[in-house]
Coordinates of all heavy atoms in Angstrom, one line a residue:
M1 N -7.2 32.0 199.1 CA -6.5 33.2 199.6 C -5.5 33.6 198.5 O -4.7 32.8 198.0 CB -5.8 32.9 200.9 CG -5.0 34.0 201.4 SD -4.1 33.9 203.0 CE -4.3 32.3 203.6
E2 N -5.5 34.8 198.2 CA -4.6 35.4 197.2 C -3.3 35.8 197.9 O -3.3 36.4 198.9 CB -5.3 36.7 196.6 CG -4.6 37.2 195.4 CD -4.7 36.4 194.2 OE1 -5.7 35.6 194.1 OE2 -3.9 36.4 193.3
P3 N -2.2 35.3 197.2 CA -0.9 35.7 197.8 C -0.6 37.2 197.8 O -1.0 37.9 196.9 CB 0.1 35.0 196.9 CG -0.6 34.6 195.7 CD -2.1 34.6 196.0
M4 N 0.1 37.7 198.8 CA 0.4 39.1 198.9 C 1.7 39.3 198.1 O 2.8 39.2 198.7 CB 0.5 39.5 200.3 CG -0.8 39.3 201.0 SD -1.2 40.4 202.4 CE -0.6 41.9 202.1
Y5 N 1.6 39.4 196.8 CA 2.8 39.5 195.9 C 3.3 40.9 195.9 O 2.6 41.9 195.9 CB 2.3 39.1 194.5 CG 3.4 39.1 193.5 CD1 4.5 38.2 193.5 CD2 3.5 40.2 192.6 CE1 5.5 38.3 192.6 CE2 4.5 40.2 191.6 CZ 5.5 39.3 191.6 OH 6.5 39.4 190.7
K6 N 4.7 41.0 195.8 CA 5.3 42.3 195.6 C 6.4 42.1 194.5 O 7.0 41.1 194.4 CB 5.9 42.8 196.9 CG 6.8 41.8 197.7 CD 7.1 42.4 199.1 CE 7.8 41.4 199.9 NZ 8.1 41.9 201.3
Q7 N 6.6 43.2 193.8 CA 7.5 43.2 192.7 C 9.0 43.1 193.1 O 9.8 42.6 192.3 CB 7.3 44.5 191.8 CG 6.0 44.5 191.1 CD 5.9 43.6 189.9 OE1 6.9 43.5 189.2 NE2 4.8 43.0 189.7
Q8 N 9.3 43.5 194.3 CA 10.7 43.4 194.7 C 10.7 42.9 196.2 O 10.2 43.5 197.1 CB 11.3 44.8 194.7 CG 12.8 44.9 195.1 CD 13.7 44.2 194.1 OE1 13.6 44.4 192.9 NE2 14.6 43.4 194.6
A9 N 11.3 41.7 196.3 CA 11.5 41.1 197.6 C 12.9 41.2 198.1 O 13.8 41.4 197.3 CB 11.0 39.7 197.6
E10 N 13.1 40.9 199.4 CA 14.5 41.0 199.9 C 15.3 39.8 199.4 O 14.7 38.7 199.1 CB 14.4 41.0 201.5 CG 13.8 39.7 202.1 CD 13.7 39.8 203.6 OE1 14.7 39.4 204.3 OE2 12.7 40.3 204.1
P11 N 16.6 40.0 199.2 CA 17.5 38.9 198.7 C 17.3 37.7 199.6 O 17.3 37.8 200.8 CB 18.9 39.5 198.8 CG 18.6 41.0 198.7 CD 17.3 41.3 199.4
G12 N 17.3 36.5 198.9 CA 17.2 35.3 199.6 C 15.8 34.8 199.8 O 15.5 33.7 200.2
K13 N 14.8 35.7 199.6 CA 13.4 35.4 199.7 C 12.6 35.8 198.4 O 11.5 36.2 198.4 CB 12.8 36.1 200.9 CG 13.3 35.5 202.2 CD 12.5 36.1 203.4 CE 13.0 35.4 204.7 NZ 12.2 35.9 205.8
Q14 N 13.3 35.8 197.3 CA 12.8 36.2 196.0 C 12.2 35.0 195.3 O 12.6 33.8 195.5 CB 13.8 36.9 195.2 CG 14.3 38.2 195.8 CD 15.5 38.8 195.0 OE1 16.3 38.1 194.4 NE2 15.5 40.1 195.1
C15 N 11.3 35.2 194.3 CA 10.7 34.2 193.6 C 11.7 33.2 193.0 O 11.5 32.0 193.0 CB 9.8 34.7 192.4 SG 8.4 35.7 193.0
K16 N 12.8 33.7 192.5 CA 13.8 32.9 191.8 C 14.4 31.9 192.8 O 15.0 30.9 192.4 CB 14.9 33.7 191.2 CG 15.7 34.6 192.2 CD 16.7 35.4 191.5 CE 17.5 36.3 192.5 NZ 18.4 37.2 191.8
D17 N 14.3 32.1 194.1 CA 14.8 31.2 195.2 C 13.8 30.3 195.7 O 14.0 29.5 196.6 CB 15.4 32.0 196.3 CG 16.5 33.0 195.9 OD1 17.4 32.6 195.1 OD2 16.4 34.2 196.3
C18 N 12.5 30.4 195.2 CA 11.4 29.6 195.8 C 11.2 28.4 194.9 O 11.3 28.4 193.7 CB 10.1 30.5 195.7 SG 8.7 29.7 196.4
Q19 N 10.8 27.3 195.6 CA 10.6 26.0 194.9 C 9.3 26.0 194.0 O 9.2 25.2 193.2 CB 10.6 24.9 195.9 CG 9.5 24.9 196.9 CD 9.6 23.7 197.9 OE1 9.5 22.6 197.5 NE2 9.8 24.0 199.2
S20 N 8.4 27.0 194.2 CA 7.2 27.1 193.4 C 7.4 27.9 192.1 O 6.5 27.9 191.2 CB 6.1 27.7 194.2 OG 5.8 26.9 195.3
F21 N 8.6 28.5 191.9 CA 8.9 29.4 190.8 C 9.3 28.5 189.6 O 10.2 27.7 189.7 CB 9.9 30.4 191.1 CG 10.4 31.3 190.0 CD1 9.6 32.3 189.5 CD2 11.6 31.1 189.4 CE1 10.0 33.1 188.5 CE2 12.1 32.0 188.4 CZ 11.2 33.0 187.9
T22 N 8.8 28.8 188.4 CA 9.2 28.2 187.2 C 9.7 29.3 186.3 O 9.0 30.2 185.9 CB 8.1 27.4 186.5 OG1 7.6 26.4 187.4 CG2 8.6 26.7 185.2
V23 N 11.0 29.2 186.0 CA 11.7 30.3 185.2 C 11.2 30.2 183.7 O 10.9 29.2 183.2 CB 13.2 30.2 185.3 CG1 13.8 29.0 184.6 CG2 13.8 31.5 184.7
N24 N 11.1 31.4 183.1 CA 10.8 31.5 181.7 C 12.1 31.3 180.9 O 13.0 32.1 181.1 CB 10.2 32.9 181.4 CG 9.9 33.1 180.0 OD1 10.4 32.4 179.1 ND2 9.0 34.1 179.7
P25 N 12.2 30.2 180.1 CA 13.5 30.0 179.4 C 14.0 31.1 178.5 O 15.1 31.3 178.3 CB 13.2 28.7 178.6 CG 11.9 28.2 179.1 CD 11.2 29.2 179.8
S26 N 13.0 31.9 178.0 CA 13.4 32.9 177.1 C 13.7 34.3 177.8 O 14.2 35.2 177.2 CB 12.4 33.1 176.0 OG 11.2 33.5 176.5
N27 N 13.3 34.3 179.1 CA 13.5 35.5 179.9 C 13.7 35.1 181.4 O 12.8 35.0 182.1 CB 12.3 36.5 179.8 CG 12.5 37.7 180.6 OD1 13.6 38.0 181.2 ND2 11.5 38.6 180.6
P28 N 15.0 34.9 181.8 CA 15.3 34.5 183.2 C 14.9 35.5 184.2 O 14.8 35.1 185.4 CB 16.8 34.2 183.2 CG 17.3 34.5 181.9 CD 16.2 35.0 181.0
A29 N 14.5 36.7 183.9 CA 14.1 37.7 184.9 C 12.6 37.5 185.2 O 12.0 38.2 186.0 CB 14.4 39.1 184.4
A30 N 11.9 36.6 184.5 CA 10.5 36.3 184.7 C 10.2 34.9 184.8 O 11.0 34.0 184.5 CB 9.7 37.0 183.5
G31 N 8.9 34.6 185.1 CA 8.5 33.2 185.2 C 7.1 33.1 185.7 O 6.3 34.1 185.6
T32 N 6.7 31.9 186.2 CA 5.4 31.7 186.7 C 5.4 31.1 188.1 O 6.4 30.4 188.4 CB 4.5 30.8 185.8 OG1 5.2 29.6 185.6 CG2 4.3 31.5 184.4
C33 N 4.4 31.3 188.8 CA 4.2 30.6 190.1 C 2.7 30.2 190.2 O 1.8 31.1 190.2 CB 4.6 31.6 191.3 SG 4.4 30.8 192.9
F34 N 2.4 29.0 190.3 CA 1.1 28.5 190.3 C 0.2 29.1 189.2 O -0.9 29.5 189.4 CB 0.4 28.7 191.7 CG 1.1 27.9 192.8 CD1 1.9 28.6 193.7 CD2 0.9 26.6 192.9 CE1 2.6 27.9 194.7 CE2 1.6 25.9 193.9 CZ 2.4 26.5 194.8
G35 N 0.8 29.2 188.0 CA 0.1 29.7 186.9 C 0.0 31.2 186.7 O -0.6 31.7 185.8
K36 N 0.5 32.0 187.7 CA 0.5 33.4 187.6 C 1.9 33.9 187.2 O 2.9 33.4 187.6 CB 0.2 34.0 189.0 CG -1.0 33.5 189.7 CD -2.0 34.7 189.9 CE -3.2 34.1 190.6 NZ -4.4 34.7 190.2
D37 N 1.9 35.0 186.3 CA 3.1 35.6 185.9 C 3.7 36.4 187.0 O 3.1 37.1 187.7 CB 2.9 36.5 184.7 CG 2.4 35.7 183.4 OD1 2.9 34.6 183.2 OD2 1.7 36.3 182.6
V38 N 5.0 36.1 187.2 CA 5.8 36.8 188.3 C 7.2 37.2 187.8 O 7.6 36.7 186.7 CB 5.9 36.0 189.6 CG1 4.6 35.7 190.2 CG2 6.7 34.7 189.3
V39 N 7.8 38.1 188.5 CA 9.2 38.4 188.2 C 10.1 37.7 189.1 O 9.8 37.4 190.3 CB 9.5 40.0 188.2 CG1 8.7 40.7 187.1 CG2 9.2 40.5 189.6
A40 N 11.3 37.4 188.7 CA 12.3 36.6 189.4 C 12.6 37.3 190.8 O 12.9 36.6 191.8 CB 13.5 36.3 188.6
E41 N 12.7 38.6 190.8 CA 13.0 39.3 192.0 C 11.8 39.6 192.9 O 12.0 40.3 194.0 CB 13.8 40.6 191.7 CG 15.1 40.2 191.0 CD 16.0 41.5 190.7 OE1 15.5 42.6 190.8 OE2 17.1 41.3 190.4
G42 N 10.6 39.2 192.5 CA 9.5 39.4 193.3 C 9.4 38.5 194.5 O 10.3 37.7 194.8
G43 N 8.3 38.5 195.2 CA 8.1 37.6 196.4 C 6.7 37.7 196.9 O 5.9 38.5 196.5
C44 N 6.4 36.7 197.8 CA 5.1 36.7 198.4 C 5.1 35.9 199.7 O 6.2 35.4 200.1 CB 4.0 36.0 197.5 SG 3.9 34.2 197.5
M45 N 4.0 35.8 200.4 CA 4.0 35.2 201.7 C 4.1 33.7 201.7 O 4.2 33.1 202.8 CB 2.7 35.7 202.4 CG 1.4 35.2 201.8 SD 0.0 36.1 202.5 CE -1.3 35.1 201.8
F46 N 4.0 33.1 200.6 CA 4.1 31.6 200.5 C 5.5 31.1 200.1 O 5.7 30.0 199.7 CB 3.1 31.1 199.5 CG 1.7 31.3 199.9 CD1 0.8 32.1 199.1 CD2 1.2 30.8 201.1 CE1 -0.5 32.3 199.5 CE2 -0.2 31.0 201.5 CZ -1.0 31.8 200.7
F47 N 6.5 32.0 200.3 CA 7.9 31.6 199.9 C 8.4 30.4 200.6 O 8.2 30.2 201.8 CB 8.8 32.8 200.2 CG 10.3 32.5 200.0 CD1 10.8 32.5 198.7 CD2 11.1 32.0 201.0 CE1 12.2 32.2 198.5 CE2 12.4 31.7 200.8 CZ 13.0 31.8 199.5
K48 N 9.0 29.5 199.9 CA 9.6 28.3 200.4 C 10.9 28.0 199.7 O 10.8 27.8 198.5 CB 8.6 27.1 200.4 CG 9.2 25.9 201.1 CD 8.2 24.8 201.3 CE 8.8 23.6 202.1 NZ 7.9 22.5 202.2
K49 N 12.0 28.1 200.4 CA 13.3 28.1 199.7 C 13.5 26.7 199.0 O 13.1 25.7 199.6 CB 14.4 28.3 200.8 CG 15.8 28.4 200.2 CD 16.7 29.1 201.2 CE 18.1 29.2 200.6 NZ 18.2 30.2 199.6
K50 N 14.1 26.8 197.8 CA 14.5 25.6 197.1 C 15.5 24.8 197.9 O 16.4 25.4 198.6 CB 15.1 26.0 195.7 CG 14.2 26.6 194.8 CD 14.9 26.9 193.5 CE 14.0 27.6 192.5 NZ 14.7 28.0 191.3
E51 N 15.5 23.5 197.7 CA 16.6 22.7 198.3 C 17.8 22.9 197.5 O 17.8 23.2 196.3 CB 16.2 21.2 198.2 CG 14.9 20.9 199.0 CD 15.1 21.0 200.5 OE1 16.2 20.7 201.0 OE2 14.2 21.5 201.2
D52 N 19.0 22.8 198.1 CA 20.3 23.0 197.4 C 20.4 22.2 196.1 O 20.9 22.6 195.1 CB 21.4 22.7 198.3 CG 21.6 23.8 199.4 OD1 21.1 24.9 199.2 OD2 22.2 23.5 200.4
A53 N 20.0 20.9 196.1 CA 20.1 20.0 195.0 C 19.3 20.5 193.8 O 19.6 20.3 192.7 CB 19.6 18.6 195.4
E54 N 18.1 21.2 194.1 CA 17.3 21.7 193.0 C 17.9 22.9 192.3 O 17.6 23.2 191.2 CB 15.9 22.1 193.6 CG 15.1 20.9 194.0 CD 13.7 21.3 194.6 OE1 13.4 22.5 194.5 OE2 13.0 20.4 195.1
Q55 N 18.7 23.7 193.0 CA 19.3 24.9 192.5 C 20.4 24.7 191.5 O 20.8 25.5 190.7 CB 19.7 25.8 193.6 CG 18.6 26.4 194.4 CD 19.1 27.4 195.5 OE1 20.2 27.9 195.4 NE2 18.3 27.6 196.5
K56 N 21.0 23.5 191.6 CA 22.2 23.2 190.7 C 21.8 22.8 189.3 O 20.7 22.4 189.0 CB 23.0 22.2 191.4 CG 23.6 22.7 192.7 CD 24.5 21.6 193.4 CE 24.9 22.2 194.7 NZ 25.7 21.3 195.4

């Protein structure tokens, strides 16, 4: 099943807040999720919030 990705998600449910997101070290506004290029402010239906310890 293909995730229903959107370029702009609501605050608190964005890719940058998801445990599956890997930030691009040279561009913190972008990254990858399961091998797909995404933007940090995007989102999809598989969002799972990072644990507080992982965000620090």
Side-chain angles (χ1 to χ4, degrees):
M1 175 178 3
E2 191 70 26
M4 299 204 40
Y5 178 74
K6 50 188 170 182
Q7 293 284 323
Q8 183 67 45
E10 63 185 271
K13 292 189 175 181
Q14 296 175 327
C15 294
K16 64 184 177 183
D17 303 314
C18 182
Q19 62 182 300
S20 300
F21 178 72
T22 302
V23 69
N24 179 339
S26 63
N27 180 5
T32 59
C33 182
F34 295 106
K36 304 244 185 215
D37 291 329
V38 297
V39 294
E41 292 183 351
C44 82
M45 61 191 192
F46 296 117
F47 175 82
K48 187 166 181 185
K49 189 162 179 68
K50 289 181 185 175
E51 298 294 324
D52 288 337
E54 291 179 6
Q55 291 185 17
K56 295 179 183 178

